Short mmCIF file of all heavy atoms in Angstrom, two decimals:
data_model
loop_
_atom_site.label_atom_id
_atom_site.label_comp_id
_atom_site.label_asym_id
_atom_site.label_seq_id
_atom_site.Cartn_x
_atom_site.Cartn_y
_atom_site.Cartn_z
N CYS A 387 19.96 10.26 2.43
CA CYS A 387 21.29 10.79 2.12
C CYS A 387 22.35 9.70 2.26
O CYS A 387 22.45 8.83 1.41
CB CYS A 387 21.58 12.01 2.96
SG CYS A 387 22.93 13.03 2.31
N ARG A 388 23.17 9.73 3.30
CA ARG A 388 24.13 8.66 3.51
C ARG A 388 23.43 7.30 3.52
O ARG A 388 23.98 6.30 3.03
CB ARG A 388 24.89 8.85 4.83
CG ARG A 388 25.70 7.60 5.27
CD ARG A 388 26.09 7.70 6.73
NE ARG A 388 26.44 6.41 7.29
CZ ARG A 388 27.67 5.89 7.35
NH1 ARG A 388 28.67 6.57 6.86
NH2 ARG A 388 27.88 4.73 7.89
N GLY A 389 22.21 7.27 4.05
CA GLY A 389 21.46 6.04 4.06
C GLY A 389 21.25 5.46 2.69
O GLY A 389 21.41 4.24 2.47
N LEU A 390 20.91 6.30 1.71
CA LEU A 390 20.79 5.87 0.32
C LEU A 390 22.10 5.29 -0.16
O LEU A 390 22.15 4.24 -0.81
CB LEU A 390 20.35 7.02 -0.57
CG LEU A 390 20.32 6.78 -2.09
CD1 LEU A 390 19.19 7.56 -2.76
CD2 LEU A 390 21.64 7.14 -2.76
N GLN A 391 23.21 5.97 0.12
CA GLN A 391 24.51 5.51 -0.32
C GLN A 391 24.88 4.18 0.32
O GLN A 391 25.47 3.31 -0.32
CB GLN A 391 25.55 6.59 -0.04
CG GLN A 391 25.30 7.87 -0.84
CD GLN A 391 26.17 9.04 -0.40
OE1 GLN A 391 27.01 8.92 0.48
NE2 GLN A 391 25.95 10.17 -1.03
N ALA A 392 24.49 4.00 1.58
CA ALA A 392 24.76 2.73 2.27
C ALA A 392 24.00 1.58 1.62
O ALA A 392 24.55 0.50 1.41
CB ALA A 392 24.40 2.85 3.75
N VAL A 393 22.73 1.81 1.29
CA VAL A 393 21.96 0.76 0.61
C VAL A 393 22.59 0.43 -0.74
O VAL A 393 22.74 -0.75 -1.10
CB VAL A 393 20.50 1.19 0.42
CG1 VAL A 393 19.74 0.20 -0.44
CG2 VAL A 393 19.79 1.33 1.77
N ASN A 394 22.98 1.45 -1.46
CA ASN A 394 23.60 1.23 -2.76
C ASN A 394 24.86 0.39 -2.66
O ASN A 394 25.05 -0.59 -3.41
CB ASN A 394 23.90 2.56 -3.46
CG ASN A 394 24.30 2.39 -4.92
OD1 ASN A 394 23.57 1.79 -5.71
ND2 ASN A 394 25.45 2.91 -5.27
N VAL A 395 25.70 0.72 -1.70
CA VAL A 395 26.94 -0.02 -1.49
C VAL A 395 26.66 -1.44 -0.97
O VAL A 395 27.31 -2.42 -1.37
CB VAL A 395 27.89 0.75 -0.55
CG1 VAL A 395 29.09 -0.09 -0.15
CG2 VAL A 395 28.36 2.04 -1.24
N ALA A 396 25.69 -1.56 -0.08
CA ALA A 396 25.32 -2.89 0.46
C ALA A 396 24.93 -3.85 -0.63
O ALA A 396 25.13 -5.07 -0.52
CB ALA A 396 24.20 -2.74 1.48
N LEU A 397 24.37 -3.32 -1.72
CA LEU A 397 23.93 -4.16 -2.84
C LEU A 397 24.95 -4.15 -3.99
O LEU A 397 24.62 -4.53 -5.10
CB LEU A 397 22.55 -3.68 -3.33
CG LEU A 397 21.39 -3.90 -2.34
CD1 LEU A 397 20.08 -3.40 -2.95
CD2 LEU A 397 21.29 -5.34 -1.94
N GLY A 398 26.18 -3.77 -3.67
CA GLY A 398 27.25 -3.89 -4.65
C GLY A 398 27.46 -2.70 -5.54
O GLY A 398 28.26 -2.77 -6.50
N GLY A 399 26.80 -1.58 -5.25
CA GLY A 399 26.97 -0.38 -6.06
C GLY A 399 28.21 0.41 -5.63
O GLY A 399 28.88 0.09 -4.65
N THR A 400 28.47 1.47 -6.38
CA THR A 400 29.63 2.35 -6.09
C THR A 400 29.19 3.80 -6.01
O THR A 400 28.06 4.14 -6.41
CB THR A 400 30.72 2.22 -7.16
OG1 THR A 400 30.17 2.60 -8.44
CG2 THR A 400 31.23 0.77 -7.26
N LEU A 401 30.09 4.64 -5.52
CA LEU A 401 29.82 6.08 -5.36
C LEU A 401 30.88 6.89 -6.04
O LEU A 401 32.05 6.51 -6.12
CB LEU A 401 29.79 6.45 -3.87
CG LEU A 401 28.84 5.66 -2.95
CD1 LEU A 401 29.08 6.09 -1.52
CD2 LEU A 401 27.40 5.87 -3.36
N HIS A 402 30.50 8.08 -6.53
CA HIS A 402 31.47 9.12 -6.85
C HIS A 402 31.91 9.72 -5.52
O HIS A 402 31.08 10.27 -4.78
CB HIS A 402 30.81 10.21 -7.72
CG HIS A 402 30.55 9.79 -9.13
ND1 HIS A 402 31.55 9.60 -10.05
CD2 HIS A 402 29.39 9.56 -9.78
CE1 HIS A 402 31.01 9.24 -11.22
NE2 HIS A 402 29.71 9.21 -11.08
N GLN A 403 33.19 9.66 -5.22
CA GLN A 403 33.66 10.15 -3.93
C GLN A 403 33.50 11.64 -3.75
O GLN A 403 33.36 12.15 -2.63
CB GLN A 403 35.13 9.77 -3.73
CG GLN A 403 35.38 8.32 -3.55
CD GLN A 403 36.80 8.01 -3.12
OE1 GLN A 403 37.37 8.67 -2.24
NE2 GLN A 403 37.42 7.04 -3.78
N ASP A 404 33.47 12.37 -4.87
CA ASP A 404 33.26 13.82 -4.79
C ASP A 404 32.65 14.27 -6.11
O ASP A 404 33.05 13.81 -7.18
CB ASP A 404 34.56 14.57 -4.53
CG ASP A 404 34.31 16.05 -4.20
OD1 ASP A 404 33.87 16.33 -3.09
OD2 ASP A 404 34.57 16.90 -5.08
N MET A 405 31.66 15.17 -6.04
CA MET A 405 30.93 15.60 -7.22
C MET A 405 31.66 16.70 -7.98
O MET A 405 31.16 17.15 -9.03
CB MET A 405 29.53 16.06 -6.82
CG MET A 405 28.65 14.93 -6.31
SD MET A 405 27.10 15.49 -5.57
CE MET A 405 26.31 16.28 -6.97
N GLY A 406 32.77 17.15 -7.46
CA GLY A 406 33.56 18.12 -8.23
C GLY A 406 33.79 19.45 -7.58
O GLY A 406 34.27 20.38 -8.24
N GLY A 407 33.46 19.60 -6.33
CA GLY A 407 33.74 20.84 -5.61
C GLY A 407 32.54 21.74 -5.45
O GLY A 407 31.40 21.38 -5.83
N PRO A 408 32.74 22.92 -4.89
CA PRO A 408 31.65 23.82 -4.48
C PRO A 408 30.68 24.18 -5.60
O PRO A 408 29.51 24.42 -5.33
CB PRO A 408 32.37 25.05 -3.95
CG PRO A 408 33.69 24.54 -3.52
CD PRO A 408 34.07 23.44 -4.49
N ASP A 409 31.13 24.21 -6.84
CA ASP A 409 30.26 24.63 -7.92
C ASP A 409 29.32 23.54 -8.42
O ASP A 409 28.35 23.80 -9.10
CB ASP A 409 31.08 25.14 -9.11
CG ASP A 409 31.84 26.41 -8.80
OD1 ASP A 409 31.39 27.16 -7.90
OD2 ASP A 409 32.90 26.65 -9.42
N THR A 410 29.63 22.28 -8.05
CA THR A 410 28.82 21.19 -8.56
C THR A 410 28.24 20.32 -7.47
O THR A 410 27.35 19.48 -7.75
CB THR A 410 29.66 20.29 -9.50
OG1 THR A 410 30.88 19.92 -8.81
CG2 THR A 410 30.03 21.02 -10.78
N GLU A 411 28.66 20.42 -6.23
CA GLU A 411 28.10 19.62 -5.17
C GLU A 411 26.73 20.14 -4.75
O GLU A 411 26.33 21.26 -5.11
CB GLU A 411 29.05 19.57 -3.95
CG GLU A 411 29.19 20.93 -3.30
CD GLU A 411 30.30 20.93 -2.24
OE1 GLU A 411 31.14 20.03 -2.20
OE2 GLU A 411 30.30 21.88 -1.44
N HIS A 412 26.01 19.32 -4.00
CA HIS A 412 24.65 19.68 -3.57
C HIS A 412 24.63 19.97 -2.07
O HIS A 412 23.94 19.27 -1.31
CB HIS A 412 23.67 18.55 -3.90
CG HIS A 412 23.39 18.37 -5.35
ND1 HIS A 412 22.46 17.49 -5.85
CD2 HIS A 412 23.95 18.94 -6.45
CE1 HIS A 412 22.43 17.54 -7.15
NE2 HIS A 412 23.34 18.41 -7.54
N ARG A 413 25.36 20.94 -1.64
CA ARG A 413 25.36 21.30 -0.22
C ARG A 413 24.63 22.62 -0.04
O ARG A 413 24.81 23.56 -0.84
CB ARG A 413 26.81 21.46 0.29
CG ARG A 413 27.44 20.13 0.73
CD ARG A 413 28.86 20.38 1.20
NE ARG A 413 29.39 19.19 1.90
CZ ARG A 413 30.65 18.90 1.94
NH1 ARG A 413 31.57 19.65 1.35
NH2 ARG A 413 31.07 17.81 2.60
N HIS A 414 23.85 22.71 1.04
CA HIS A 414 23.07 23.93 1.32
C HIS A 414 22.28 24.34 0.08
O HIS A 414 22.28 25.50 -0.34
CB HIS A 414 24.00 25.05 1.74
CG HIS A 414 24.80 24.78 3.00
ND1 HIS A 414 24.20 24.57 4.20
CD2 HIS A 414 26.13 24.66 3.17
CE1 HIS A 414 25.14 24.36 5.12
NE2 HIS A 414 26.31 24.39 4.52
N LEU A 415 21.62 23.38 -0.54
CA LEU A 415 20.97 23.63 -1.82
C LEU A 415 19.53 23.08 -1.81
O LEU A 415 19.31 21.94 -1.38
CB LEU A 415 21.77 22.95 -2.92
CG LEU A 415 21.30 23.13 -4.35
CD1 LEU A 415 21.43 24.59 -4.78
CD2 LEU A 415 22.08 22.23 -5.31
N VAL A 416 18.60 23.89 -2.26
CA VAL A 416 17.26 23.44 -2.52
C VAL A 416 17.05 23.46 -4.03
O VAL A 416 17.28 24.49 -4.67
CB VAL A 416 16.19 24.31 -1.82
CG1 VAL A 416 14.78 23.89 -2.22
CG2 VAL A 416 16.35 24.25 -0.31
N HIS A 417 16.69 22.34 -4.62
CA HIS A 417 16.53 22.27 -6.06
C HIS A 417 15.42 21.29 -6.44
O HIS A 417 15.03 20.44 -5.61
CB HIS A 417 17.87 21.87 -6.73
CG HIS A 417 18.31 20.48 -6.40
ND1 HIS A 417 17.80 19.36 -7.02
CD2 HIS A 417 19.24 20.02 -5.52
CE1 HIS A 417 18.39 18.29 -6.54
NE2 HIS A 417 19.26 18.65 -5.62
N PRO A 418 14.90 21.40 -7.64
CA PRO A 418 13.83 20.52 -8.04
C PRO A 418 14.33 19.13 -8.46
O PRO A 418 15.47 18.99 -8.99
CB PRO A 418 13.21 21.25 -9.27
CG PRO A 418 14.35 22.02 -9.85
CD PRO A 418 15.21 22.44 -8.66
N VAL A 419 13.55 18.12 -8.24
CA VAL A 419 13.82 16.79 -8.74
C VAL A 419 12.57 16.26 -9.44
O VAL A 419 11.44 16.61 -9.10
CB VAL A 419 14.22 15.81 -7.62
CG1 VAL A 419 15.53 16.24 -6.97
CG2 VAL A 419 13.13 15.64 -6.59
N ALA A 420 12.81 15.43 -10.46
CA ALA A 420 11.73 14.79 -11.19
C ALA A 420 11.58 13.38 -10.67
O ALA A 420 12.56 12.62 -10.59
CB ALA A 420 12.02 14.80 -12.68
N LEU A 421 10.35 12.99 -10.32
CA LEU A 421 10.08 11.68 -9.75
C LEU A 421 9.44 10.76 -10.78
O LEU A 421 8.57 11.18 -11.54
CB LEU A 421 9.15 11.81 -8.54
CG LEU A 421 9.55 12.89 -7.50
CD1 LEU A 421 8.47 12.99 -6.42
CD2 LEU A 421 10.89 12.59 -6.89
N ARG A 422 9.88 9.52 -10.79
CA ARG A 422 9.36 8.59 -11.78
C ARG A 422 7.89 8.28 -11.50
O ARG A 422 7.52 7.89 -10.40
CB ARG A 422 10.13 7.26 -11.76
CG ARG A 422 9.60 6.23 -12.76
CD ARG A 422 10.24 4.87 -12.58
NE ARG A 422 11.61 4.87 -12.99
CZ ARG A 422 12.37 3.78 -13.02
NH1 ARG A 422 11.86 2.62 -12.61
NH2 ARG A 422 13.62 3.84 -13.41
N PRO A 423 7.03 8.40 -12.52
CA PRO A 423 5.62 8.05 -12.35
C PRO A 423 5.45 6.60 -11.90
O PRO A 423 6.12 5.71 -12.42
CB PRO A 423 5.04 8.28 -13.74
CG PRO A 423 5.94 9.25 -14.38
CD PRO A 423 7.32 8.92 -13.88
N GLY A 424 4.59 6.39 -10.92
CA GLY A 424 4.30 5.07 -10.43
C GLY A 424 5.26 4.55 -9.38
O GLY A 424 5.09 3.45 -8.86
N SER A 425 6.29 5.34 -9.05
CA SER A 425 7.24 4.91 -8.03
C SER A 425 6.69 5.14 -6.64
O SER A 425 5.76 5.90 -6.43
CB SER A 425 8.55 5.70 -8.19
OG SER A 425 8.36 7.08 -7.99
#
Side-chain angles (χ1 to χ4, degrees):
C387 199
R388 168 196 160 93
L390 173 147
Q391 295 170 3
V393 172
N394 191 55
V395 170
L397 293 181
T400 61
L401 306 174
H402 286 289
Q403 291 189 46
D404 190 74
M405 294 170 62
D409 294 334
T410 52
E411 66 189 16
H412 290 187
R413 276 179 167 152
H414 300 296
L415 182 66
V416 175
H417 66 80
V419 297
L421 312 176
R422 178 189 290 184
S425 62

